[in-house]
């Protein structure tokens, strides 16, 4: 029986070329595993496609302001000689 | 040289001129270099923080803290993969800051190593049909219900496209655990989506391609 984790690793391109070739040979004679593999790939695709980037312009501005404060503190410290 | 030129205030001013200015410019260059890279990956950082914490407020705190940590450690960044480096920082922070608050075992963590499911024996709901009828928000809602460890692995793998080794580094677990968490996480997600799809009448049990 094919290890389910190996099918996921195959879909993630995480197997060595030897492991990949061996698993693909096994898949040729295992219809259930082929369906399972296709399902894993479909799941990965759905996840990637469903993920949208959040709006974060305002947060980026706040981060920059925070980094400005950090820089200012470092400048003061370097002048004071701490 | 006049005595005025050697007076203490002047010496201090000259020292400041020769030492502080390069330091200032060095830091400015570092800031610019950091921001150039950080701005590109910032949406991914915020998105990951949102998916991990499932709270806008906590995600913003987490993303901001990750940015500050990354900036302070930027001189130690090896220059290879900035996005993976930032994702490692945000994941580490999440694990340390948020998950330690939780008490008791994680749902699904107890059987992490003994969770193998035989291939092809789960309910045969073709995922292509299932996912074709799902919209992004439904997938995201289901993902939010996946237990922490598994969700983190799936997010980093399938949304952020990190390698198993990068995920192992970010979550501080062995690579074998990453493999099993990804497999288990996808399996849980698939079940959640199938339940949803059946409840909504998108698919019927036993549907085939």
């Amino acid at each position: 029986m094919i290890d389910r984790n190996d099918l996921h690793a195959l879909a993630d391109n995480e197997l060595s070329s030897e492991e990949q070739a061996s698993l693909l040979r096994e898949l040729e004679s295992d219809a259930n595993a082929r369906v399972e593999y296709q399902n894993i790939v479909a799941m990965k695709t759905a996840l990637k496609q469903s993920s949208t980037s959040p709006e974060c312009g305002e947060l980026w501005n706040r981060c920059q302001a925070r980094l400005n404060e950090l820089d200012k503190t470092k400048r003061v410290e370097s002048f004071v000689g701490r | 040289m006049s005595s005025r030129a050697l007076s203490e205030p002047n010496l201090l001013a000259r020292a400041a001129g020769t030492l502080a200015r390069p330091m200032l410019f060095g830091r400015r260059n570092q800031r610019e270099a950091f921001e150039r890279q950080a701005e590109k990956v910032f949406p991914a950082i915020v998105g990951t923080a949102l998916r991990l914490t499932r709270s806008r407020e906590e995600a913003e705190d987490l993303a901001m803290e990750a940015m500050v940590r990354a900036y302070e450690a930027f001189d130690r960044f090896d220059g290879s993969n900035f996005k993976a480096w930032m994702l490692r920082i945000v994941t580490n922070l999440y694990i340390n800051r948020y998950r330690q608050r939780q008490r008791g075992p994680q749902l699904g963590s107890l059987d992490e190593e003994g969770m193998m499911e035989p291939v092809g024996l789960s309910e045969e709901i073709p995922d292509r049909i299932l996912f074709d009828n799902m919209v992004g928000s439904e997938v995201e809602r289901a993902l939010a219900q996946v237990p922490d460890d598994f969700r983190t692995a799936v997010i980093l793998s399938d949304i952020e496209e990190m390698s198993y080794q990068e995920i192992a580094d970010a979550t501080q677990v062995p690579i074998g655990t990453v493999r099993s968490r990804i497999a288990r996480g996808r399996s849980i997600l698939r079940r959640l989506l199938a339940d949803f799809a059946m409840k909504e009448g998108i698919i019927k049990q036993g549907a085939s391609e």
Side-chain angles (χ1 to χ4, degrees), chain B residues 41-167:
Chain B
V41 303
F42 193 63
I45 299 306
V46 178
T48 299
L50 264 172
R51 291 182 187 98
L52 291 174
T53 62
R54 295 166 290 186
S55 147
R56 182 83 206 184
E57 192 183 346
E58 289 192 355
E60 289 189 357
D61 278 354
L62 185 63
M64 180 102 84
E65 181 68 19
M67 285 286 288
V68 169
R69 295 279 181 100
Y71 182 49
E72 287 179 328
F74 190 52
D75 55 349
R76 296 195 295 279
F77 168 55
D78 66 6
S80 55
N81 184 342
F82 186 78
K83 186 180 172 187
W85 183 67
M86 283 292 304
L87 286 168
R88 190 168 73 200
I89 292 172
V90 82
T91 306
N92 265 312
L93 271 175
Y94 169 69
I95 290 168
N96 295 332
R97 278 177 57 179
Y98 295 96
R99 289 191 25 205
Q100 279 178 1
R101 288 185 202 162
Q102 298 168 351
R103 301 263 181 234
Q106 288 276 300
L107 173 64
S109 293
L110 294 172
D111 61 343
E112 191 166 305
E113 299 306 326
M115 65 193 182
M116 301 300 294
E117 290 175 32
V119 167
L121 294 184
S122 55
E123 307 106 55
E124 286 305 324
I125 300 156
D127 287 358
R128 190 171 54 72
I129 292 175
L130 178 63
F131 296 138
D132 280 354
N133 290 289
M134 292 280 176
V135 295
S137 60
E138 288 155 359
V139 178
E140 289 270 7
R141 259 204 309 277
L143 180 63
Q145 292 176 54
V146 175
D148 247 352
D149 291 338
F150 306 125
R151 189 174 75 256
T152 303
V154 169
I155 290 167
L156 296 179
S157 170
D158 292 349
I159 298 177
E160 299 309 334
E161 298 175 321
M162 288 170 80
S163 70
Y164 286 8
Q165 186 59 59
E166 287 169 337
I167 298 169

Side-chain angles (χ1 to χ4, degrees), chain A residues 9-55:
Chain A
L10 177 67
D12 293 330
N13 203 23
E14 290 278 352
L15 295 179
S16 68
S17 48
E18 293 81 21
E19 289 169 330
Q20 188 175 328
S22 161
L23 187 56
L24 287 173
R25 271 196 304 275
E26 285 186 74
L27 278 178
E28 279 173 21
S29 58
D30 189 333
N32 280 338
R34 278 202 305 277
V35 169
E36 184 62 21
Y37 173 69
Q38 286 161 3
N39 283 342
I40 292 166
V41 173
M43 167 73 77
K44 277 175 65 70
T45 307
L47 269 167
K48 186 68 186 166
Q49 286 175 348
S50 71
S51 65
T52 51
S53 292
E55 165 50 45

